Amino acid sequence: MISFLHTYKVYQGNVIALRDVSLQVDKGEFVYLTGPSGAGKTTLFRLLSAYDRCSSGQITVANYNLNKIKPHDIPKFRRSIGVVYQDFRLLKDRNIFANVALPLQVQSESQHLIQSRVSTLLEQVGLMAKSHFYPSQLSGGEQQRVAIARALVHQPSIVIADEPTGNLDSDLSREIMNLFDQVSAQGTTVFIATHDQELIRTKARRVVRIQSGSILRDEK
């Protein structure tokens, strides 16, 4: 499902962001990626989602060779991935329903499918009653639940989340992680970057620790 093989990422000025990273994540796995700020977590996720290319090595995600992927194939590839950001990235001028529907509208899906799938997901994250609200009218935890619904609406095989609980208190963090548990239980691969050690200790999951661009530990 996700494979990094001897992957390096070097930025201008010979700054090595990733150093000889080899990592395999199988279909349906739930994996935490942890490490201090600047360790390489965000760089790894940018490579995984084809927002950047590695300097050397090989990356394969959802049967796509990201070293060779053509620009016109990237939108189709990204439909296999749902991304959840720490800062939510919701459109402030659209209500919650419209925010979640956006990926389907980009794909020109039918109104019937959009209505059905968005309603189902908003029900799942407990926000159907607020579907007409705007992001500014929601709490941080509610906004993150909307972001998760949006990431899932096109039914991706992989969900990646970069510090999804970084702006939330401990109770809201547990609530968000319970949602990811539900996603994982449905067979979706879940890959979460976090530096929250307390959060990691609450669940018996695979933990990959990265530091200075290198993988230090990979514990199941």
Side-chain angles (χ1 to χ4, degrees):
M1 182 57 67
I2 299 171
S3 176
F4 285 72
L5 185 61
H6 300 301
T7 302
Y8 285 78
K9 179 59 184 178
V10 183
Y11 289 107
Q12 190 173 5
N14 202 34
V15 176
I16 302 176
L18 291 182
R19 186 190 308 268
D20 196 22
V21 169
S22 291
L23 176 68
Q24 180 85 29
V25 178
D26 294 330
K27 179 175 173 55
E29 271 200 281
F30 190 126
V31 181
Y32 285 119
L33 178 67
T34 186
S37 296
K41 300 188 299 294
T42 298
T43 297
L44 191 149
F45 274 9
R46 283 183 59 81
L47 296 180
L48 188 162
S49 50
Y51 283 105
D52 207 345
R53 295 212 179 203
C54 64
S55 303
S56 63
Q58 185 170 320
I59 304 173
T60 304
V61 180
N63 297 320
Y64 284 86
N65 183 336
L66 299 191
N67 299 64
K68 299 179 179 179
I69 192 169
K70 306 294 185 195
H72 64 266
D73 287 329
I74 290 177
K76 182 180 177 182
F77 159 70
R78 289 198 184 126
R79 292 205 272 286
S80 66
I81 298 176
V83 183
V84 181
Y85 302 96
Q86 178 179 354
D87 56 358
F88 318 138
R89 300 195 185 180
L90 302 177
L91 299 177
K92 294 180 173 58
D93 61 344
R94 301 194 186 195
N95 65 26
I96 300 317
F97 191 98
N99 265 279
V100 176
L102 185 60
L104 298 180
Q105 291 172 337
V106 169
Q107 296 173 35
S108 300
E109 298 288 0
S110 70
Q111 282 303 120
H112 176 74
L113 185 145
I114 291 172
Q115 183 70 39
S116 173
R117 198 174 291 173
V118 174
S119 297
T120 297
L121 276 167
L122 286 177
E123 198 71 55
Q124 184 179 344
V125 301
L127 288 172
M128 190 59 201
K130 295 185 176 182
S131 63
H132 60 290
F133 282 32
Y134 285 77
S136 62
Q137 297 174 286
L138 301 182
S139 69
E142 288 172 330
Q143 289 186 62
Q144 191 61 292
R145 280 189 272 155
V146 174
I148 293 170
R150 182 185 58 191
L152 296 174
V153 74
H154 58 290
Q155 298 181 326
S157 56
I158 301 167
V159 171
I160 63 175
D162 194 358
E163 301 286 359
T165 61
N167 294 324
L168 307 178
D169 63 32
S170 57
D171 288 339
L172 286 175
S173 294
R174 283 192 291 272
E175 180 182 304
I176 294 302
M177 293 314 301
N178 286 337
L179 279 176
F180 283 118
D181 281 338
Q182 293 174 32
V183 173
S184 176
Q186 294 167 4
T188 304
T189 302
V190 177
F191 200 6
I192 296 178
T194 182
H195 64 271
D196 189 338
Q197 295 301 309
E198 181 181 348
L199 195 66
I200 291 171
R201 284 193 291 270
T202 62
K203 302 284 184 182
R205 302 292 191 182
R206 179 180 173 188
V207 179
V208 175
R209 179 167 179 82
I210 188 169
Q211 186 167 319
S212 301
S214 299
I215 292 179
L216 295 186
R217 291 199 310 273
D218 186 350
E219 301 171 340
K220 295 188 178 181

